[in-house]
Amino acid sequence: SDIAETLSEGKSVLYRFTVPEGLTSFQIVERMKADKNLTGDIAAVPPEGALLPDTYKFAKGMSRQALLDLMMAERTKFLEAAWANRQPDLPLKSPEEALVLASIVEKETGRNDERTRVAAVFVNRLRQGMRLQSDPTILYGLFQGQVAWGRPIYRSEIQQKTAHNTYQIDGLPPTPICTPGRATILATLAPAKTNELFFVADGQGGHVFSTNLKDHNTAVQT
């Protein structure tokens, strides 16, 4: 009856396409290809981090490229506004650098209460000239957009030099490693005020944070 009423009133039936946080552009495009309510081809996989995670409503038959263009426009608009309201004195030179760092924070924690602290660790490391040493950057460096997130990392892979492996490079990688969401971008641009430089998973979905290597090594052992 709801459908009949919608059609009788000339309203469009809207469908939903959800982009979760933390996917790569390649993974998002693959999801779009599988959605039978969308039509047409996609010219090219967008640059990493160019899309904004959200649930998008569309009318049946909308072209995949048009929806992709909308996601890119929304990301540009949101990032510009977030950058304009960023915390002062961040060691980030541009919105693009903020997006790169946000993508790393996105893959390091899914907890709302940890994002600003994880962001602070990386910001503090950048300020001190320390390497970021983020495990997800190892995986992205090896497999790019087709990376299988969550797979184990081998000791030999930590040593492999890629453009994105932050165990091997100084500073930020050249591109994002995934598609960060709104909350993570905001957390990255307003990190917690801490002196923390390390964190390790606590086995319960969170992390133990430390200000020095001695405490961090203790946390790793427990």
Side-chain angles (χ1 to χ4, degrees):
S1 61
D2 289 343
I3 295 173
E5 182 179 350
T6 296
L7 293 174
S8 67
E9 293 178 359
K11 297 178 182 177
S12 297
V13 177
L14 296 179
Y15 295 83
R16 295 171 184 265
F17 183 79
T18 298
V19 179
E21 295 85 352
L23 296 183
T24 66
S25 290
F26 174 85
Q27 291 164 345
I28 295 168
V29 165
E30 290 301 297
R31 288 191 175 208
M32 294 184 76
K33 290 179 179 177
D35 193 315
K36 294 181 169 39
N37 293 310
L38 293 166
T39 61
D41 297 325
I42 292 170
V45 175
E48 205 64 76
L51 308 174
L52 185 68
D54 204 344
T55 295
Y56 295 87
K57 296 179 181 179
F58 65 93
K60 186 180 179 75
M62 183 178 188
S63 77
R64 293 180 175 88
Q65 187 62 52
L67 183 54
L68 208 58
D69 291 342
L70 173 62
M71 293 180 200
M72 287 190 281
E74 289 296 311
R75 201 285 339 246
T76 297
K77 182 169 64 176
F78 180 81
L79 182 60
E80 287 178 352
W83 177 256
N85 292 289
R86 69 190 181 279
Q87 196 176 98
D89 302 323
L90 291 175
L92 301 167
K93 299 175 183 176
S94 66
E96 290 70 31
E97 285 195 355
L99 193 70
V100 172
L101 185 54
S103 73
I104 296 173
V105 176
E106 186 70 66
K107 298 311 300 182
E108 288 285 5
T109 184
R111 286 181 46 163
N112 292 333
D113 61 337
E114 283 195 349
R115 285 194 184 99
T116 58
R117 288 183 76 182
V118 170
V121 167
F122 292 128
V123 165
N124 292 339
R125 282 178 164 253
L126 287 173
R127 285 188 172 128
Q128 294 194 24
M130 297 174 65
R131 287 184 172 173
L132 299 186
Q133 296 184 320
S134 167
D135 289 357
T137 65
I138 298 172
L139 291 175
Y140 189 86
L142 293 172
F143 304 105
Q144 302 292 302
Q146 299 185 52
V147 59
W149 295 117
R151 110 177 186 6
I153 297 172
Y154 302 106
R155 188 176 298 276
S156 60
E157 292 174 337
I158 298 175
Q159 305 303 321
Q160 290 194 36
K161 294 186 177 181
T162 70
H164 288 81
N165 183 352
T166 53
Y167 281 83
Q168 300 297 324
I169 65 168
D170 297 329
L172 294 167
T175 73
I177 62 170
C178 73
T179 301
R182 288 183 175 88
T184 304
I185 292 172
L186 292 175
T188 301
L189 290 170
K193 299 287 190 179
T194 76
N195 295 320
E196 294 163 344
L197 294 167
F198 305 90
F199 60 85
V200 63
D202 62 8
Q204 299 179 347
H207 294 86
V208 177
F209 294 81
S210 305
T211 59
N212 60 77
L213 186 57
K214 179 182 177 182
D215 289 348
H216 173 63
N217 287 336
T218 299
V220 170
Q221 298 298 322
T222 57

